[in-house]
Structures are given as C-alpha cells and as structure tokens.
Amino acid sequence: MSSAQYSKKIALVDCNSFYVSCERLFNPKIRKKPVVVLSNNDGCIISRSNEAKALGIKMGEPYFKAKDIIVKNKVEVFSSNYSLYGDLSRRVMRTLKRFNTEIEVYSIDEAFVTINPRYTDPIDYATTLRNKIYQWTGIPVSIGIGKTKTLAKVANHLSKRGIGKDNVCLIDSKNDQDLLQKVKVHDIWGIGRRKQKFLKINGIYNAYDLKQANPEWIQKHMTIISRHTVDELNGRKKIELEREFATKKSISTSRSFSRMISDLNTLRNAISSHASRSAEKLRSQNSFVNSIGVYLCTN
C-alpha cells in the first residue's frame, strides 16, 4: 500500500433520523414537531426526531408502551414507507458518488467514502459535501472522519451529539484522546453491550481506554474482530471499504436492543424491520434469495 493510499481519510456519511427526514421532506408542517416512524405493522418505533428523543421516546420501543407520551405531547406518528425511503436513499448515494470514486453503501442511510489527500482540509470538504446533499436531496446528514472506518464511526457518533462543527467531526492525532474519552465502550462499532461488561470489569470504560489496551490480550480474551477494533482505534486499517462491484454471497442485518426484551411482538417487529433492510441490500445488487436465517442471542 502506497503512502498516498494510506494517508487517505475515511468519512462516514449518515442521514439524520432518516425515515423522519424523509417524511418531513414532503410534509414541511412537521419539521419542528416531534415525529416518530413505526415498523411494519406499526409495532415498534424505528425512527425518531430530536424532539421525540427529548421526550424520552426510545429507539425500538413498542408503540403501545410509548403511546401515553405520544398522545400527551401530540407527537406525529407515521407508518413506514420503504418505497419512499429507498428512493431517497438512492438519491443520497448518487450524490455521494458524484463527489467520491471510492464508496461503500453500508446501509439504507449510511455510506463510507474515502477523502482524497488532495483535499488538505477534510472538514471543509465534508461540510461542502453535507451542504450539497441537503441542497440536492433535502436530507440532512452528519459526517464523521478518521483514518479508519472505526474512527469514522466514532466521529460520526460524536457529530450527532453536537461535537464538531456543523454536524462534521474529525478525529486525528491532535484530539483523539479528548474525543475518544467521550465515547462509552458499548457505543463503539463492533463492541456493543454484550462485550462491555467484560471490558468494564477490566477497567476499560471508553474508546480511549480500549485504544490503549493490548491487542494480543484483547484477541486472547475476546475475538480477532475485537483486536481489529483496537487496531483501528489506533489508526491502523484492518477493515477495508467493500466496493459495490464485489457482490456479496450473504447479507446480514443485525442490531442490539438497549434493554432486555421478552415480548414476542416486539421481537417479531424488529425481525421484520431487519428483513426489510436486508431485502433492500439484496435488490441493490440484483441478487436472489437461496435461504434465510434468523438468529436471536441473549446477553
């Protein structure tokens, strides 16, 4: 790998409350109001505006549990419209491709892109890109930038919390200690809540603590993937961008719940939502289904 290639920074472009943003695009009257979008069969909340988040409405929460808050605060409620969301997602990704030759569409509302070293100010470049996406599609995005995909993910997480400038956050050697200390270990891409207990027992509470951990010890007591996370937090690329022309033989969509779930309807609706997202990825590469597998794990 050449020094020029290695110096390329990676940006994660993530649409803000994507499904809500899509609904607001065609209904300007709800732009300043609390809004939620429900999953298939109107079972779970799968997208929330910032105003809805401020009311305490949780992601993935069953609608019936949040109904009192929703009614009391006159929250606007929408059933999911995946045709609309898919169309707007394609518009956002087409806009990204006009400005970037190296892009990995990670999900319906996220994409990794490389920033060419000729752009000496990556923050200025990302801000320009963010403004163009909003101008051409009407969808607001947040952008995180780092040397690796994991650092870009962490930076994006911070940008959504208002850290950085104009929803753009860059993590580099000058600010990594300060910024990584702001990110809890379970919020790191590839870690999640199942692994956080082991890490906290061993004194690792945030992303900077994990960065300082011994990679060999992490691999011995966890997995090789966890070691890659440590390497990536240190700026060593272990997870490359997946190009579009590399058709995947398998597609997965998985998420962790923020709390213990025992309600069958909640699980059913979550699985239905994940299946819809997998189908979107499948259609985007013109593939067919051979088999479908569903798995659930406890903590």
Side-chain angles (χ1 to χ4, degrees):
M1 181 179 293
S2 70
S3 59
Q5 286 176 309
Y6 189 79
S7 64
K8 287 182 180 179
K9 287 185 169 57
I10 296 175
L12 174 63
V13 181
D14 188 4
C15 301
N16 298 341
S17 303
F18 181 54
Y19 295 167
V20 167
S21 295
C22 292
E23 298 293 346
R24 283 176 163 174
L25 186 60
F26 293 94
N27 190 350
K29 293 181 180 179
I30 63 172
R31 287 186 179 173
K32 299 296 182 180
K33 296 181 179 180
V35 182
V36 298
V37 175
L38 305 181
S39 64
N40 293 355
N41 303 318
D42 294 343
C44 297
I45 296 164
I46 58 173
S47 186
R48 307 160 295 160
S49 67
N50 288 333
E51 296 84 356
K53 294 175 186 177
L55 294 174
I57 298 173
K58 297 179 176 61
M59 184 67 168
E61 187 173 24
Y63 171 70
F64 73 89
K65 288 188 177 181
K67 188 174 181 179
D68 288 344
I69 297 176
I70 289 171
V71 173
K72 180 180 178 180
N73 294 279
K74 299 181 179 179
V75 178
E76 299 285 341
V77 180
F78 291 85
S79 298
S80 51
N81 183 345
Y82 292 112
S83 296
L84 171 65
Y85 309 151
D87 179 62
L88 286 169
S89 173
R90 287 187 288 273
R91 295 186 196 183
V92 171
M93 301 309 166
R94 280 198 298 266
T95 302
L96 282 175
K97 289 171 185 176
R98 292 194 61 173
F99 291 89
N100 302 273
T101 56
E102 297 180 11
I103 176 173
E104 175 192 338
V105 179
Y106 183 64
S107 70
I108 191 172
D109 59 351
E110 294 176 278
F112 289 100
V113 299
T114 57
I115 300 178
N116 195 291
R118 74 172 182 270
Y119 297 107
T120 56
D121 187 343
I123 294 179
D124 181 64
Y125 169 79
T127 302
T128 300
L129 180 60
R130 178 181 178 275
N131 293 339
K132 283 294 183 184
I133 292 171
Y134 187 75
Q135 178 185 353
W136 292 358
T137 70
I139 300 297
V141 302
S142 295
I143 301 179
I145 308 167
K147 284 185 177 180
T148 66
K149 290 173 76 173
T150 301
L151 284 172
K153 263 280 193 181
V154 171
N156 188 275
H157 174 77
L158 291 169
S159 72
K160 288 183 177 293
R161 290 167 49 187
I163 298 173
K165 182 181 178 182
D166 297 327
N167 288 100
V168 175
C169 180
L170 166 68
I171 294 179
D172 58 21
S173 58
K174 298 177 182 177
N175 65 12
D176 65 338
Q177 180 173 350
D178 178 56
L179 292 183
L180 292 178
Q181 286 177 337
K182 298 179 186 296
V183 180
K184 295 179 181 179
V185 71
H186 66 258
D187 288 325
I188 303 171
W189 188 40
I191 297 300
R193 294 182 181 273
R194 292 185 64 195
K195 297 177 182 177
Q196 68 162 319
K197 291 183 179 179
F198 171 79
L199 292 171
K200 287 182 177 180
I201 289 172
N202 288 277
I204 298 173
Y205 297 97
N206 57 53
Y208 186 72
D209 293 339
L210 187 58
K211 176 188 175 182
Q212 300 294 100
N214 184 316
E216 293 182 0
W217 181 85
I218 289 291
Q219 181 176 344
K220 179 180 178 181
H221 294 281
M222 297 178 73
T223 65
I224 184 65
I225 301 301
S226 300
R227 175 175 180 157
H228 289 170
T229 299
V230 175
D231 287 332
E232 290 244 321
L233 288 172
N234 282 278
R236 298 187 290 270
K237 289 185 179 179
K238 295 292 182 178
I239 310 172
E240 297 294 335
L241 262 67
E242 296 182 8
R243 304 294 191 267
E244 273 194 303
F245 56 74
T247 300
K248 297 180 181 179
K249 293 184 178 180
S250 64
I251 295 172
S252 67
T253 304
S254 64
R255 295 291 186 274
S256 297
F257 288 100
S258 60
R259 64 193 188 287
M260 288 292 293
I261 298 294
S262 58
D263 177 66
L264 181 60
N265 285 331
T266 301
L267 292 172
R268 181 184 292 117
N269 281 291
I271 292 171
S272 178
S273 177
H274 295 344
S276 295
R277 291 200 174 194
S278 292
E280 290 165 1
K281 297 178 183 179
L282 189 79
R283 289 192 294 270
S284 70
Q285 66 176 38
N286 296 317
S287 294
F288 295 92
V289 175
N290 181 52
S291 63
I292 298 175
V294 177
Y295 66 91
L296 299 171
C297 299
T298 69
N299 62 354

